């Protein structure tokens, strides 16, 4: 199950373009607040500010109260700071004094809005996770593009945290319409991603942010070129078998019984996707089909622990881990 409640997902995430893409998996009409969190078109910027980022995180010195036989003693440590969400009173993180808060409104909306400055891109989704400790805003093109039969939507995700789990990150990617999978912008090429740590000098790095956001217009071209090249690369049945064995670790003499059983299950699932699944089989016999099979398996069939599948996919997308999976797939394929 998700670590987030249905009430949270229906009030603290905003989902756009439902006319084109339908509702999110967690949509429940009876869990909506006074206004729905789904939008037929783009999510209005004003609603992101108002509904998600109206509060500002605050910092306070770390304090502790000790009770013992001598009585009550209060201690204040000015070298540590506590990050608090003032509207709920939740403690989001404890850090050294040099930690720099990256306010969501400024870093996830203000920077993006000011630098992109175009009518072609709009907010497709935004949300808070972990009680407000993590947030993201995804900007995308409204229209669906197509290359080699692959329909996709380029996007740029801005994400950060107040609990230390995520540096402020700006990264590009593409979402494949047929399976709703996220693929890296250039499918294994150097990822278009900029990370800015929450350090004391981070506020002086807006030039790096500008460079990151400038790439969004090139995502469509780079993704299209990568898909076309992969579709042109033939993968014979024998090479596919070698890939599956190498990718899953089948035949590893060091594998335990559970690992060997998991590998066999993964082999079976990959072959089924390759042969019969509409999200993969149209590209069977090509390198793109290999990427599609591995990516679809990861998104929809691989075992998930500690969260539901959709939440885990969201976490991987905003941290860039999905890009690393795609790059790994291509490295394995190149090696067979």
């Amino acid at each position: 199950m998700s670590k987030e409640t249905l009430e949270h997902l229906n009030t603290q995430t905003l989902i756009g373009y439902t006319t084109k893409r339908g509702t999110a998996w967690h949509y429940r009409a009876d869990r909506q607040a006074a206004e729905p969190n789904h939008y037929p078109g783009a999510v209005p910027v004003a609603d992101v500010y108002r509904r998600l980022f109206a509060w500002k995180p605050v910092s306070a010195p770390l304090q502790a109260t000790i009770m013992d036989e001598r009585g009550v003693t209060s201690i204040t440590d000015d070298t540590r700071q506590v990050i608090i969400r003032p509207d709920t009173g939740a403690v989001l993180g404890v850090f050294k004094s040099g930690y720099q808060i990256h306010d969501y409104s400024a870093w996830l909306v203000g920077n993006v809005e000011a630098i992109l400055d175009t009518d072609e891109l709009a907010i497709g989704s935004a949300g808070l996770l972990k009680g407000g400790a993590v947030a993201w805003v995804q900007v995308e093109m409204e229209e669906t593009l197509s290359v080699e039969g692959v329909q996709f939507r380029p996007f740029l995700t801005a994400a950060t945290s107040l609990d230390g789990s995520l540096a402020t990150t700006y990264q590009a990617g593409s979402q494949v319409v047929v399976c709703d999978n996220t693929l890296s912008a250039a499918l294994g090429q150097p990822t278009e991603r900029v990370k800015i740590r929450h350090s004391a000098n981070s506020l002086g790095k807006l030039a790096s942010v500008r460079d990151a956001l400038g790439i969004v217009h090139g995502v469509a071209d780079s993704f299209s070129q990568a898909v076309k090249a992969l579709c042109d690369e033939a993968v014979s049945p024998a090479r596919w078998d070698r890939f599956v064995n190498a990718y899953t670790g089948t035949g590893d003499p060091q594998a335990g019984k559970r690992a060997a059983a998991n590998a066999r299950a993964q082999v079976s699932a990959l072959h089924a996707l390759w042969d019969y699944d509409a999200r993969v089989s149209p590209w069977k016999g090509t390198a793109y089909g290999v990427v599609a099979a591995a990516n679809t398996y990861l998104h929809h069939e691989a075992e998930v622990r500690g969260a539901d599948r959709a939440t885990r996919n969201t976490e991987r997308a905003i941290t860039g881990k999905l890009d690393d999976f795609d790059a790994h797939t291509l490295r394995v394929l190149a090696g067979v």
Side-chain angles (χ1 to χ4, degrees), residues 3 95 111 142 145 159 174 222 236 238 249 299 336:
K3 294 180 180 179
F95 304 95
N111 288 347
E142 180 177 0
L145 306 178
S174 292
S222 63
S236 66
H299 272 84
V336 298

Side-chain angles (χ1 to χ4, degrees), residues 39-292:
Y39 296 80
V43 178
V45 173
D47 280 15
V48 177
Y49 283 125
R50 175 177 61 86
R51 301 184 65 180
L52 299 179
F53 303 154
W55 56 278
K56 302 289 184 183
V58 297
S59 171
L62 177 64
Q63 295 180 323
T65 300
I66 300 174
M67 300 180 63
D68 56 23
E69 66 277 1
R70 295 172 296 179
V72 179
T73 304
S74 294
I75 299 175
T76 298
D77 184 353
D78 291 325
T79 68
R80 301 273 178 175
Q81 60 173 315
V82 180
I83 309 301
I84 301 169
R85 178 173 177 173
D87 60 337
T88 65
V91 174
L92 303 180
V94 179
F95 304 95
K96 293 182 179 180
S97 58
Y99 177 89
Q100 177 66 53
I101 293 175
H102 288 180
D103 177 70
Y104 295 156
S105 293
W107 284 81
L108 303 187
V109 182
N111 288 347
V112 176
E113 188 178 29
I115 295 172
L116 291 182
D117 191 25
T118 174
D119 294 332
E120 296 177 5
L121 299 155
I123 295 175
S125 69
L128 298 170
L129 299 173
K130 299 182 180 180
V134 175
W136 87 91
V137 173
Q138 183 166 298
V139 176
E140 57 192 72
M141 292 182 176
E142 180 177 0
E143 297 303 321
T144 297
L145 306 178
S146 180
V147 58
E148 299 291 331
V150 180
Q151 292 186 310
F152 68 98
R153 294 184 300 270
F155 64 78
L156 178 80
T157 298
T160 192
S161 70
L162 297 170
D163 65 355
S165 63
L166 182 66
T168 297
T169 304
Y170 301 89
Q171 62 181 9
S174 292
Q175 197 156 36
V176 180
V177 174
V178 68
C179 52
D180 206 32
N181 290 1
T182 298
L183 289 170
S184 57
L187 287 173
Q189 300 303 311
T191 305
E192 300 285 12
R193 183 189 308 154
V194 170
K195 289 187 176 183
I196 300 176
R197 297 176 60 189
H198 295 262
S199 59
N201 63 352
S202 61
L203 297 181
K205 296 184 177 180
L206 290 182
S208 296
V209 177
R210 182 177 297 275
D211 292 340
L213 297 180
I215 65 173
V216 72
H217 292 289
V219 170
D221 288 342
S222 63
F223 186 82
S224 295
Q225 292 169 8
V227 169
K228 188 176 187 312
L230 292 172
C231 287
D232 289 342
E233 181 180 341
V235 174
S236 66
R239 189 183 180 197
W240 164 250
D241 288 338
R242 291 195 300 272
F243 167 81
V244 170
N245 291 337
Y247 187 80
T248 61
T250 302
D252 181 358
Q254 303 300 319
K257 290 184 178 181
R258 180 171 181 176
N262 289 340
R264 289 194 297 271
Q266 189 175 3
V267 167
S268 178
L270 287 170
H271 281 306
L273 290 168
W274 182 255
D275 290 328
Y276 307 115
D277 196 289
R279 297 168 294 186
V280 178
S281 59
W283 299 277
K284 177 180 178 180
T286 71
Y288 179 78
V290 174
V291 173

